[in-house]
Amino acid sequence: MKIVVLVKEVPDTWGDRRLNLETGLLERGAGELVLDEIGERAIEVALTYAEANSGSEVVVLAMGPASVPTNLRKGLAMGADRAIHILDDALIGADTTLTATTLAAALSHEGFDLVIAGNVSTDGGGAVIPSMVAELLDVPAATGLSTVAITATDVTGRRDTEVGSYTVKAALPAVVSITEALPDARFPSFKGIMAAKKKPLDTLTLADLAATSGASGEDAHSIVISLAERPARAAGVTIVDEGDAGTQLAEFLAKNQLI
Ligand SMILES: Cc1cc2nc3c(=O)[nH]c(=O)nc-3n(C[C@H](O)[C@H](O)[C@H](O)COP(=O)(O)OP(=O)(O)OC[C@H]3O[C@@H](n4cnc5c(N)ncnc54)[C@H](O)[C@@H]3O)c2cc1C
């Protein structure tokens, strides 16, 4: 079983996160860049299966800038066998279509039985990449899973929605995305960190993927043409009860069209 885990490098949610208001790009220097936590959970799902099933291979795959290998090494330190980094200047400012096309091309190039992704990233937050990748690869997508059971031939999981839960099953090869309901990821051990230094980490460019990808990076894709910072929060209204607090409150709610 070959499992490829899609992991994204994102700004640490505990740190400072900023967009450059001129370019629309993420200010990558503004804070620490880390593996998205949901990606770490996805690695955990893959490793749990691989440890119980000898002959399995876990590959971590990320598209992103030159800083990505440091974070891919963390996935290797957790226990993944290999890592692949897609790096190309033409991918700077990629939209979701270009991201999905490129990831799908790398997956075709690499080959896989199962792809495990997070359901949503903490920076872009589109929650669309796993479905787009599955569509481009013409394989089933089982998204938003809060449980995952993998066999040699299929993958099954529970999908929780606002109206209820249902169980979905897909024949392999398939793409799944997981939610934060899955267990926390393990911490890399010292032995794992040392071993990770010697594990293969390959870099692919768009030229390497040209045979499997229609994307040159120069194709028409959406770009951010304007953005604005969220306005600062206005001071709240304090109502002091001098016998008419109820009236004041009702007036405030009516004025703000809340009642
Ligand atoms: C019109 C438009 C313009 C954009 N322009 C910019 C821009 O100029 N600069 C910018 O920084 N961003 C830009 N973005 C955002 C960028 O396209 C997305 O961050 C990126 O495509 C991934 O989408 P997401 O973060 O919404 O992923 P989601 O769909 O929320 O991610 C779900 C899962 O997919 C996988 N995944 C997602 N991205 C990757 C990746 N790169 N490598 C490996 N796995 C991955 C992970 O498993 C992740 O958990 C733009 C988006 C749009 C729609």
Side-chain angles (χ1 to χ4, degrees):
M1 168 82 67
K2 182 168 180 177
I3 303 177
V4 183
V5 185
L6 300 183
V7 290
K8 188 178 185 194
E9 183 184 78
V10 297
D12 192 346
T13 44
W14 297 100
D16 197 10
R17 296 191 291 168
R18 279 203 306 269
L19 284 176
N20 182 312
L21 297 182
E22 278 173 23
T23 62
L25 295 175
L26 185 69
E27 290 271 23
R28 292 195 169 259
E32 200 187 345
L33 294 166
V34 297
L35 265 193
D36 206 351
E37 194 197 317
I38 195 71
E40 292 187 7
R41 279 178 209 259
I43 296 173
E44 184 64 41
V45 173
L47 293 177
T48 303
Y49 176 83
E51 282 163 358
N53 295 273
S54 60
S56 307
E57 184 184 26
V58 176
V59 182
V60 282
L61 168 64
M63 172 186 134
S67 50
V68 162
T70 308
N71 282 307
L72 281 175
R73 289 270 173 223
K74 184 175 182 190
L76 295 174
M78 286 170 67
D81 300 293
R82 290 195 297 118
I84 301 170
H85 175 205
I86 312 168
L87 173 70
D88 201 301
D89 281 351
L91 296 169
I92 294 171
D95 64 354
T96 44
T97 307
L98 181 56
T99 305
T101 312
T102 308
L103 290 174
L107 287 162
S108 292
H109 183 269
E110 177 64 22
F112 63 92
D113 296 302
L114 178 64
V115 176
I116 307 179
N119 62 334
V120 57
S121 70
T122 49
D123 59 348
V128 289
I129 296 296
S131 303
M132 292 173 86
V133 166
E135 180 68 20
L136 290 163
L137 293 168
D138 198 21
V139 298
T143 54
L145 302 185
S146 47
T147 65
V148 179
I150 306 163
T151 74
T153 54
D154 54 50
V155 57
T156 309
R158 196 182 73 236
R159 201 170 200 276
D160 296 321
T161 71
E162 283 175 15
V163 290
S165 297
Y166 48 102
T167 303
V168 293
K169 183 174 184 174
L172 301 182
V175 174
V176 300
S177 71
I178 59 135
T179 72
E180 289 184 341
L182 268 297
D184 284 339
R186 67 193 66 187
F187 287 105
S189 64
F190 180 69
K191 196 175 154 204
I193 293 168
M194 296 313 286
K197 294 180 199 279
K198 292 185 185 152
K199 290 183 179 175
L201 195 162
D202 299 319
T203 304
L204 294 176
T205 63
L206 286 178
D208 296 321
L209 299 176
T212 39
S213 164
S216 66
E218 288 163 11
D219 306 326
H221 63 272
S222 332
I223 53 163
V224 175
I225 52 170
S226 77
L227 73 158
E229 267 180 300
R230 187 165 42 194
R233 275 189 157 190
V237 175
T238 307
I239 295 175
V240 181
D241 188 9
E242 290 171 350
D244 63 345
T247 309
Q248 282 193 61
L249 191 56
E251 280 172 2
F252 173 83
L253 293 172
K255 189 176 154 202
N256 289 284
Q257 298 178 331
L258 296 168
I259 53 173

